[in-house]
Amino acid sequence: QAQLVESGGSSVQAGASLRLSCIASDPAIRSNVKAWFRQTPGKDREFVAVISESGRATVYADSVKGRFTISRDDDKNAIYLQMNLLKPEDTAIYYCAALLGGWSTEAKDYDAWGLGTQVVVSS
């Protein structure tokens, strides 16, 4: 069963914006460190962005710095990924994940995952 549920993926043209949402099904992980990863066929899941429990600290992959913004709203048990100036290379299945303890940009370290939402960016 998915502990996180993503939404907001769509097919758009290069340069467009999308806002992805992720809602935790279990309120027990509401305040955990959460992150976004993405994956394309034949590749490992790659780190996109992570946000601290407080929401005040964030880290981004070099490929999305300046274009993507991660945020969270614990009252809604949600995290978001605002994606601007989308490029074809951003095409992927986007997954949100929760880390029950610590801080990491490695997919293998995360404890809870959603099933993903698809983003397609056409040139």
Side-chain angles (χ1 to χ4, degrees), residues 51-118:
I51 189 166
S52 66
E53 294 177 273
S54 69
R56 294 191 292 271
T58 57
V59 175
Y60 297 90
D62 288 342
S63 59
V64 305
K65 285 181 180 177
R67 299 189 298 119
F68 291 10
T69 302
I70 187 171
S71 61
R72 68 190 298 160
D73 184 345
D74 288 342
D75 289 337
K76 297 181 179 179
N77 210 16
I79 63 167
Y80 307 96
L81 186 67
Q82 178 66 45
M83 305 185 294
N84 298 325
L85 297 172
L86 283 162
K87 305 175 180 180
E89 51 262 46
D90 295 318
T91 296
I93 305 296
Y94 283 73
Y95 300 88
C96 64
L99 189 63
L100 300 183
W103 178 271
S104 178
T105 60
E106 297 291 329
K108 63 180 177 60
D109 293 330
Y110 279 74
D111 304 294
W113 291 88
L115 296 179
T117 185
Q118 186 175 44

